[in-house]
Amino acid sequence: MSTNKEKDLSKVRAAIVTERFRASMKQWMLDNKVTQAQMARRAGLTTSIINNVINSHAPSLTNAILIARAMNTTVDKMTAGQIADSPDVTSFSNLFKQDFLKNVKATVENGKYYSNELIDLSEKQKRTIIRLIYAYLNVGKTGKYLGDDINDSKKKRK
């Protein structure tokens, strides 16, 4: 069950990530002299979606990925910043990983993989992708964060 503090932190995190994405997108469009209509065509989205993102609306995970690919970058690079922007770093890290995992899992299970073209994934490929992401983020099968590997390895050495 989420506490009010976790919900408030989740809102702060979402606002930080949304603003970083928006600012990165706007700067790229300015640097490359790309209009909203051109960005929409490059990303395969509508101009209204691009306009909404520019005006501080959080894009869906799928739209964020499409926009990032249109810019020849990744969502991760667009939203990277100092995690210390969050009031509680440990909670932020745990919540971010859990939320990220939930969104990626839903995207993988319900969507198609996009590289240079859309490719249907087999169920085995979907499970493999999700399993690798779980391992990378150090979460259990339920999606619960298991803790930092660094702290765990220090405890084992003692």
Side-chain angles (χ1 to χ4, degrees), residues 16 25 44 49 57 59 99 101 123 139 142-144 154-156:
I16 291 168
M25 179 178 155
I49 290 173
H57 292 86
D99 184 57
L101 181 65
E123 289 304 312
V139 295
T142 62
K144 185 175 180 348
K154 286 180 183 176
K155 289 177 189 174
K156 288 177 186 176

Side-chain angles (χ1 to χ4, degrees), residues 7 12 17 20 24 41 44 56 86 92 94-95 108-109 114 118 127 140 147 149 151 154:
K7 288 178 183 175
V12 169
V17 172
R20 286 185 180 143
S24 178
R41 278 193 301 279
S56 299
S86 172
F92 180 93
N94 294 347
L95 288 171
V108 170
E109 288 178 341
Y114 178 83
L118 292 175
R127 286 191 307 274
D149 292 333
N151 294 334
K154 286 180 183 176

Side-chain angles (χ1 to χ4, degrees), residues 3-96:
T3 66
N4 284 339
K5 183 178 177 183
E6 288 174 336
K7 288 178 183 175
D8 290 343
L9 187 58
S10 182
K11 288 179 184 176
V12 169
R13 177 202 38 86
I16 291 168
V17 172
T18 299
E19 178 54 28
R20 286 185 180 143
F21 186 89
R22 183 189 71 76
S24 178
M25 179 178 155
K26 282 178 68 173
Q27 188 62 51
W28 184 90
M29 289 174 65
L30 184 65
D31 292 347
N32 292 281
K33 297 177 177 63
V34 173
T35 67
Q36 289 184 23
Q38 291 168 326
M39 175 58 88
R41 278 193 301 279
R42 287 176 66 107
L45 299 170
T46 65
T47 305
S48 65
I49 290 173
I50 300 300
N51 184 275
N52 285 339
V53 173
I54 288 172
N55 290 305
S56 299
H57 292 86
S60 69
L61 180 59
T62 302
N63 289 346
I65 290 168
L66 291 171
I67 290 167
R69 286 189 181 271
M71 296 168 48
N72 295 318
T73 190
T74 65
V75 174
D76 190 45
K77 287 179 184 172
M78 290 178 71
T79 59
Q82 297 298 317
I83 213 141
D85 292 344
S86 172
D88 180 351
V89 176
T90 303
S91 293
F92 180 93
S93 178
N94 294 347
L95 288 171
F96 183 83

